[in-house]
Amino acid sequence: MTLNEIVQKLISKFPDNILDSNPEGVEPFIKVAPSDIFDIIKFLKEDPEIDLSFLNLITGVDWNQDNRIEVVYHLSSVAFQSHKLAIHAFLDRKAPRIPSICGLYGAANWHERETYDLLGVEFEGHPDMRRMLLPDDWEGHPLRKDYQFPEEYHGIKWA
Amino acid sequence: MSDSHNENSNKENLTNPMTKSANPNIPGERYGNQVILTTLNDFFSWAKASSIWPMQFGLACCAIEMMATAATGFDMDRFGAAVFRSSPRQSDLMIVAGTVTFKMGERIKRLYEQMPEPKYVLAMGGCAINGGPYSLYGYHVVKGVDRYIPVDIFVPGCPPRPEQLLEGIIKLQELIRQKELLKRESMIYDPKRNSPKTNQ
């Protein structure tokens, strides 16, 4: 299948939840509603013609001025070399929450923890929602644009 | 009587050939050239400086240079300092090779406390000295490992070449030779003078 056909199939399956799509660009993407992310990715993974069974990356972007946080999933296929798709979901910046896809991809576990660590996105249903890299008692999420650098950590001055 | 005396003297000559030619009445010649006169302090310092056992851990790219220094090309073992120990209980020298984050700094401090005296610290590379390239915008990088533990030798570079690390080892050996035997190392270090906040 071409990426156009994949997106058309997806739109016919989820007519209300695909907000935007661009299958032609260098990095083909679709934009989806965050509440249905699990079902959409499950369909993309388990459909034998699409077979996006490989999770490359989960990351996030802080759109400070638009007051929202974007979570990006990069999926690709092992069987079909040309199949690759990025899935964007926009969340409210004050309380970013999105369903976890740990049940679909084992690799999602650490990626979601890292996104939580650096951007503060809560992944609902994640089995172990702790910080990944920073200490457990760290304050703030460093990849946010309005992040304030700490003055000290456990008595050791930052500057 | 004369037979037994000859047997004894023969045995003595076999075990210690020096006694035959040396004059036993002169102290310096009593044992030939097998005696060196020195002070206990110099002797222990020589022993300590000649068998520095570093701790085997690295934090970033400086550790690659440290491995190259320990390998055959530069051969850190020429200075007796390449027996890398995987346990802090067996090591004398902590080479902080790489970026120290706040999370790692507390582990480093604990490792330092687990090392037996006498113990020395060598901060290798810009990151361990003052944060290096992360000194301005590294939100999680400690601006110098001397905020956690006392550092004896600083080896600048990003990363330092193996020759520089070897020179650091040589400088550390000079430092060890200067220190006095019965003085605890941690008493020599004054945390208030050398860094803002260290061992409280």
Side-chain angles (χ1 to χ4, degrees):
Chain A
M1 293 174 83
T2 66
L3 288 171
N4 259 321
E5 289 166 343
I6 291 175
V7 170
Q8 290 309 316
K9 192 171 180 179
L10 199 62
I11 290 174
S12 63
K13 176 86 178 171
F14 300 94
D16 301 330
N17 300 324
I18 310 296
L19 308 177
D20 190 9
S21 68
N22 179 11
E24 306 288 347
V26 179
E27 192 68 50
F29 68 87
I30 56 171
K31 293 184 179 178
V32 305
S35 54
D36 301 300
I37 191 86
F38 188 89
D39 292 335
I40 291 170
I41 292 181
K42 188 179 183 188
F43 173 73
L44 288 171
K45 183 193 177 194
E46 293 179 353
D47 189 291
E49 287 184 327
I50 301 175
D51 187 54
L52 289 175
S53 57
F54 190 83
L55 175 70
N56 297 68
L57 177 65
I58 299 174
T59 183
V61 188
D62 180 19
W63 297 101
N64 192 13
Q65 292 158 345
D66 302 342
N67 204 23
R68 58 186 185 171
I69 281 181
E70 179 183 9
V71 180
V72 188
Y73 302 79
H74 291 270
L75 304 175
S76 62
S77 171
V78 178
F80 308 104
Q81 293 281 310
S82 63
H83 287 197
K84 61 167 188 174
L85 200 58
I87 296 155
H88 299 216
F90 288 91
L91 315 173
D92 180 19
R93 194 168 182 279
K94 280 172 192 155
R97 302 176 78 82
I98 191 166
S100 167
I101 59 163
C102 276
L104 295 173
Y105 301 94
N109 190 315
W110 281 18
H111 286 256
E112 289 179 350
R113 275 179 65 187
E114 190 187 5
T115 311
Y116 165 71
D117 192 354
L118 300 179
L119 280 160
V121 179
E122 290 268 356
F123 289 87
E124 292 165 333
H126 190 285
D128 186 20
M129 194 81 266
R130 284 182 297 138
R131 283 183 182 274
M132 181 79 209
L133 304 167
L134 290 167
D136 286 339
D137 57 352
W138 196 267
E139 288 177 10
H141 302 283
L143 280 191
R144 293 215 181 182
K145 303 293 183 195
D146 57 353
Y147 176 67
Q148 297 291 324
F149 281 24
E151 291 198 352
E152 62 171 35
Y153 180 72
H154 290 186
I156 305 294
K157 284 233 173 5
W158 178 82
Chain B
M1 176 206 165
S2 61
D3 286 352
S4 65
H5 180 261
N6 282 342
E7 274 179 13
N8 283 342
S9 61
N10 282 341
K11 266 186 194 170
E12 201 174 336
N13 287 343
L14 280 177
T15 52
N16 192 352
M18 291 295 176
T19 48
K20 192 173 185 183
S21 59
N23 184 355
N25 295 323
I26 302 173
E29 289 190 5
R30 190 166 191 167
Y31 300 105
N33 54 0
Q34 296 178 346
V35 169
I36 296 170
L37 293 179
T38 180
T39 63
L40 200 63
N41 193 33
D42 286 351
F43 176 68
F44 274 82
S45 300
W46 167 78
K48 279 191 286 187
S50 308
S51 64
I52 304 169
W53 287 7
M55 205 195 307
Q56 185 181 32
F57 82 110
L59 301 178
C61 34
C62 278
I64 308 293
E65 294 295 310
M66 187 175 69
M67 290 175 225
T69 316
T72 47
F74 294 94
D75 195 12
M76 214 157 126
D77 213 13
R78 286 179 291 168
F79 308 100
V83 190
F84 281 89
R85 309 311 295 177
S86 306
S87 164
R89 308 281 187 202
Q90 300 171 352
S91 13
D92 311 305
L93 169 65
M94 173 186 263
I95 300 178
V96 184
T99 316
V100 183
T101 59
F102 284 116
K103 195 176 180 181
M104 195 67 204
E106 297 184 347
R107 273 88 176 156
I108 284 180
K109 188 177 176 187
R110 172 172 289 189
L111 284 172
Y112 178 78
E113 285 162 354
Q114 286 172 341
M115 287 165 69
E117 300 268 2
K119 50 191 173 184
Y120 308 96
V121 178
L122 188 149
M124 180 182 179
C127 295
I129 292 172
N130 71 343
Y134 312 104
S135 56
L136 282 182
Y137 300 109
Y139 57 89
H140 62 308
V141 177
V142 182
K143 306 302 181 290
V145 73
D146 57 346
R147 298 189 180 195
Y148 279 102
I149 54 177
V151 177
D152 295 290
I153 301 287
F154 294 91
V155 179
C158 189
R161 279 193 56 82
E163 294 95 327
Q164 292 172 267
L165 179 58
L166 287 178
E167 186 174 2
I169 298 282
I170 294 167
K171 291 282 182 201
L172 177 68
Q173 288 175 333
E174 290 173 8
L175 191 91
I176 292 173
R177 291 200 183 96
Q178 289 166 5
K179 288 192 176 177
E180 289 177 39
L181 180 62
L182 292 176
K183 209 180 247 182
R184 285 192 66 201
E185 311 294 325
S186 51
M187 288 167 66
I188 294 172
Y189 178 70
D190 181 5
K192 279 175 197 162
R193 197 188 64 212
N194 285 5
S195 79
K197 283 203 177 179
T198 339
N199 314 329
Q200 280 126 2

